[in-house]
Amino acid sequence: MPDVKLYHWEPNANSGKPIIALIEKGVDFDSHYTDLLEFDQHKPEYLAINPNGTIPVLVHGDVMLAESTEMGEYIDGAFTGPALRPDSPEERWRMRWWGKFLDGYFGPSLSMIGWSVFVGPAVRSKDPDELRRNIERIPLKERRDAWTMAIYNQFPEKELQESQRRVQHGIRVMEDELGKSTWCAGETFSLADINAFCMAYALPMMQPDHVSHEKTPNLIDWLRRVYDRPSIDESFKLGRTPMAERINEVREIISGGSVK
Amino acid sequence: MIELYHWEPVSHSLRALICVEEAGVEYESHYVDLLEFQQFGSEFLSLNPAGQVPVLRNNGVAITESVLIAEYLAEAFPEAGLAPTDPLGWYEVQTWSKFIDYNLSSSLATLGCNHYLSPLIRSGDVEAMSEAVEAIPVEVRRPGWRLAITGDYSQEILANSRRKVSLVVERMEKSLANSEWLVGNTYSIADINTFAMIHGLRDLATEVAGDEVAPRTAGWYARIAERDAVKRALGRTTRHELGTVYAPGPEHSRWG
């Protein structure tokens, strides 16, 4: 029995980060699929593990970790296997700069759009009383506000437009940064690539007007390099929604007719 | 030689100043006057296109973001012992710093600009300031300065800032019940990152961060304030009295 348990939803966004990191590192772990659309993360048994009710959670022995970006550094430091952080302090800074950019700027905007088109509609048809009770037991105010917006479709148009603007700007930032080196932080694959991939893996399909061979050759080439890693196929086996089918569609888009 | 681009010893600049002093490295200080918009000059923007201080330059690389500067210095100068090196200790330092950044950085900027910056700007040539703000080349920095000109901070955003400060102080009081320091049993960049924000909030949000409501935080604050490195950093005041000037900071989170 491995003494590592991972509570996660679909192998993308925040849940995808530790899944891919553990697989890249070769760590054997127990996967506990936690269904966001069934509010599993707000149920008492889950709150007993993580009182904040957020996914993912890594349990290693008697240690519980709930911050997905920093979890990557823990996984790299606590287990043997290929290094997921560069050696030099400068490249480590660059790796963390990506984390800050993704967590503080790009991710929240992309997530707001994702919740408005996917998570909100997916749960809205449930019993209204059940939905209300679910909102009431969400521990963090920020998460309560987000779920309220998603369930009752209260996204302000202005905010959605701002998110779309930031996603487009973020795509240009990524394209520029990826022109500087093979991988996000330099010449070695790192946690920055894992984190960026978890946010960007479906962009060629979701944002075809902004992410394509013509518009973002660096981003497309980098995506192809990450998609080629065996850990990606492994990680998507843990998914249960039709998201996995999207992967094949994205692979087709990025493989065909490179302009480079 | 290490170069540090910073403003007055408040918030983000204070973090970096304390960290270089604690690391015990020689450094060249470059004062960037945020009220003169030197952070938006072409020379500075070539260093950090985001138009933000502090920036630390070492080995030809411009290291940005105060929390990342702290982590960089901890790893580049391990003999200074600025952070634990075991995986769990490092995780706790990183997540504590993130918690502080999420809750205090934007709150300190909001409260500081409402109390100090906005009246300062409005007592001067507002028209010239407005023109300068509209000419800021980094578009994303304009809204914060526009708000400082109008002084139109809503009760909601001020109350939310105090709520976040209170949330942090409550957690600090709990942590400090078992240890002299915020993470583990040693002074670390988690303490420095927090101190640099609490420093101003004791004055700006006394009702939730003052000595009377937060006695353990007050003791912890005093322990840090008497360190030589911290005294040297706080002594770097240049054009303003300590803790009487702030600049617009990171926005409050839009999506939890």
Side-chain angles (χ1 to χ4, degrees):
Chain A
M1 269 297 272
D3 69 342
V4 179
K5 291 184 207 139
L6 188 70
Y7 297 80
H8 62 88
W9 187 44
E10 288 294 298
N12 64 26
N14 288 340
S15 285
K17 299 180 206 169
I19 292 176
I20 299 174
L22 287 166
I23 295 173
E24 285 279 346
K25 207 74 186 161
V27 178
D28 194 14
F29 65 98
D30 275 339
S31 152
H32 295 257
Y33 189 86
T34 306
D35 198 338
L36 186 90
L37 303 180
E38 294 296 331
F39 304 105
D40 282 353
Q41 74 282 14
H42 304 142
K43 290 178 180 157
E45 55 270 35
Y46 189 84
L47 293 178
I49 301 164
N50 175 14
N52 281 342
T54 57
I55 318 175
V57 156
L58 178 81
V59 177
H60 180 206
D62 53 8
V63 172
M64 188 283 288
L65 311 180
E67 288 290 337
S68 60
T69 299
E70 293 72 17
M71 209 180 273
E73 296 216 22
Y74 176 86
I75 290 168
D76 190 43
F79 302 101
T80 54
L84 297 176
R85 289 177 293 182
D87 288 334
S88 85
E90 287 77 21
E91 285 193 344
R92 284 192 177 206
W93 164 76
R94 197 161 167 223
M95 175 189 83
R96 292 178 190 132
W97 176 89
W98 275 93
K100 176 107 186 160
F101 162 73
L102 294 164
D103 291 349
Y105 184 86
F106 191 69
S109 294
L110 197 65
S111 171
M112 187 190 287
I113 296 169
W115 278 52
S116 77
V117 301
F118 180 73
V119 176
V123 298
R124 223 165 273 159
S125 56
K126 288 181 193 288
D127 172 45
D129 286 337
E130 190 201 325
L131 288 173
R132 193 172 37 75
R133 277 195 303 276
N134 266 306
I135 292 174
E136 279 167 9
R137 63 172 190 230
I138 300 174
L140 296 180
K141 179 186 181 294
E142 284 80 1
R143 298 311 303 157
R144 225 162 30 233
D145 293 349
W147 273 103
T148 305
M149 261 193 233
I151 287 172
Y152 301 112
N153 198 17
Q154 292 170 345
F155 295 94
E157 195 47 40
K158 223 176 103 194
E159 286 294 318
L160 281 178
Q161 280 170 8
E162 177 62 12
S163 290
Q164 183 58 33
R165 198 190 65 77
R166 289 184 188 207
V167 167
Q168 285 171 29
H169 177 72
I171 287 168
R172 288 196 299 276
V173 171
M174 291 171 82
E175 175 65 9
D176 288 347
E177 288 298 317
L178 287 166
K180 296 176 184 169
S181 49
T182 308
W183 301 104
C184 288
E187 292 311 306
T188 49
F189 178 82
S190 77
L191 296 169
D193 298 288
I194 294 176
N195 295 355
F197 178 81
C198 286
M199 295 295 160
Y201 75 104
L203 285 180
M205 206 176 87
M206 306 299 288
Q207 303 277 337
D209 294 342
H210 308 289
V211 178
S212 63
H213 289 289
E214 291 73 26
K215 294 239 168 99
T216 56
N218 298 330
L219 182 51
I220 295 281
D221 285 349
W222 166 82
L223 269 178
R224 200 165 41 219
R225 282 193 289 278
V226 184
Y227 266 110
D228 280 347
R229 299 179 78 86
S231 63
I232 302 304
D233 280 328
E234 270 307 294
S235 70
F236 276 104
K237 283 181 193 158
L238 298 177
R240 294 185 187 177
T241 66
M243 280 180 191
E245 286 159 35
R246 302 201 306 189
I247 305 315
N248 297 328
E249 211 176 309
V250 177
R251 277 196 163 127
E252 221 158 278
I253 298 171
I254 61 175
S255 67
S258 173
V259 289
K260 268 192 145 180
Chain B
M1 159 132 50
I2 286 183
E3 294 170 87
L4 181 65
Y5 295 77
H6 63 91
W7 190 39
E8 297 287 325
V10 292
S11 63
H12 299 276
S13 286
L14 179 56
R15 280 179 174 169
L17 283 164
I18 296 177
C19 285
V20 284
E21 291 287 353
E22 291 283 6
V25 294
E26 236 183 280
Y27 68 99
E28 193 178 332
S29 149
H30 298 279
Y31 183 80
V32 180
D33 195 329
L34 298 193
L35 299 190
E36 295 291 334
F37 283 7
Q38 287 176 348
Q39 73 277 30
F40 302 128
S42 54
E43 198 187 333
F44 187 82
L45 287 179
S46 68
L47 201 63
N48 182 11
Q52 288 175 307
V53 290
V55 175
L56 183 121
R57 191 147 64 164
N58 193 26
N59 296 332
V61 181
I63 307 292
T64 60
E65 300 287 348
S66 60
V67 165
L68 304 189
I69 289 174
E71 292 174 2
Y72 171 82
L73 287 168
E75 290 193 321
F77 302 96
E79 61 284 0
L82 290 176
T85 51
D86 65 292
L88 185 59
W90 181 252
Y91 170 87
E92 284 175 344
V93 162
Q94 283 202 305
T95 50
W96 181 275
S97 301
K98 190 179 219 174
F99 171 69
I100 293 301
D101 242 16
Y102 189 86
N103 288 296
L104 291 193
S105 298
S106 47
S107 302
L108 176 61
T110 298
L111 297 171
C113 288
N114 175 58
H115 192 78
Y116 288 112
L117 179 67
S118 188
L120 180 69
I121 289 178
R122 281 140 68 83
S123 69
D125 187 344
V126 172
E127 209 172 306
M129 189 64 181
S130 296
E131 274 175 34
V133 167
E134 295 315 314
I136 293 174
V138 190
E139 218 185 307
V140 61
R141 301 281 160 250
R142 288 180 204 160
W145 288 94
R146 281 186 197 130
L147 193 56
I149 292 173
T150 62
D152 201 9
Y153 298 91
S154 68
Q155 283 311 311
E156 192 192 345
I157 201 163
L158 294 172
N160 193 37
S161 299
R162 288 194 189 92
R163 179 188 70 82
K164 287 165 140 183
V165 175
S166 166
L167 190 82
V168 171
V169 171
E170 270 173 41
R171 207 168 133 184
M172 288 177 70
E173 289 293 303
K174 264 189 214 154
S175 298
L176 294 169
N178 308 313
S179 169
E180 289 209 320
W181 307 109
L182 293 172
V183 171
N185 290 313
T186 46
Y187 174 71
S188 73
I189 53 177
D191 296 289
I192 297 173
N193 288 334
T194 311
F195 177 88
M197 298 293 152
I198 290 289
H199 178 73
L201 288 166
R202 283 158 55 86
D203 157 40
L204 287 159
T206 313
E207 69 281 19
V208 287
D211 291 358
E212 285 188 13
V213 285
R216 294 193 191 105
T217 300
W220 162 88
Y221 177 88
R223 281 193 289 284
I224 297 177
E226 69 190 17
R227 296 176 69 90
D228 288 341
V230 176
K231 283 184 193 158
R232 283 195 297 274
L234 288 170
R236 285 263 180 202
T237 48
T238 304
R239 294 184 191 167
H240 303 272
E241 203 184 312
L242 183 61
T244 63
V245 72
Y246 290 87
E251 62 181 10
H252 291 266
S253 132
R254 301 167 56 241
W255 180 249

PDB file of all heavy atoms in Angstrom, chain A residues 70 164 188:
ATOM      1  N   GLU A  70       2.412  24.728  -4.724  1.00  0.00           N
ATOM      2  CA  GLU A  70       3.491  24.445  -3.776  1.00  0.00           C
ATOM      3  C   GLU A  70       3.629  22.939  -3.534  1.00  0.00           C
ATOM      4  O   GLU A  70       4.710  22.442  -3.201  1.00  0.00           O
ATOM      5  CB  GLU A  70       3.241  25.183  -2.457  1.00  0.00           C
ATOM      6  CG  GLU A  70       3.330  26.701  -2.575  1.00  0.00           C
ATOM      7  CD  GLU A  70       2.177  27.360  -3.302  1.00  0.00           C
ATOM      8  OE1 GLU A  70       1.116  26.717  -3.458  1.00  0.00           O
ATOM      9  OE2 GLU A  70       2.322  28.512  -3.740  1.00  0.00           O
ATOM     10  N   GLN A 164     -11.815  37.388 -20.538  1.00  0.00           N
ATOM     11  CA  GLN A 164     -11.466  37.042 -21.922  1.00  0.00           C
ATOM     12  C   GLN A 164     -10.274  37.893 -22.394  1.00  0.00           C
ATOM     13  O   GLN A 164      -9.345  37.395 -23.032  1.00  0.00           O
ATOM     14  CB  GLN A 164     -12.678  37.248 -22.838  1.00  0.00           C
ATOM     15  CG  GLN A 164     -12.460  36.855 -24.299  1.00  0.00           C
ATOM     16  CD  GLN A 164     -12.043  35.388 -24.480  1.00  0.00           C
ATOM     17  OE1 GLN A 164     -12.456  34.511 -23.734  1.00  0.00           O
ATOM     18  NE2 GLN A 164     -11.188  35.138 -25.452  1.00  0.00           N
ATOM     19  N   THR A 188      15.368  22.668 -19.155  1.00  0.00           N
ATOM     20  CA  THR A 188      14.894  21.416 -18.559  1.00  0.00           C
ATOM     21  C   THR A 188      13.404  21.504 -18.244  1.00  0.00           C
ATOM     22  O   THR A 188      12.896  22.560 -17.867  1.00  0.00           O
ATOM     23  CB  THR A 188      15.644  21.068 -17.246  1.00  0.00           C
ATOM     24  OG1 THR A 188      15.638  22.231 -16.412  1.00  0.00           O
ATOM     25  CG2 THR A 188      17.068  20.642 -17.512  1.00  0.00           C
TER      26      THR A 188
END
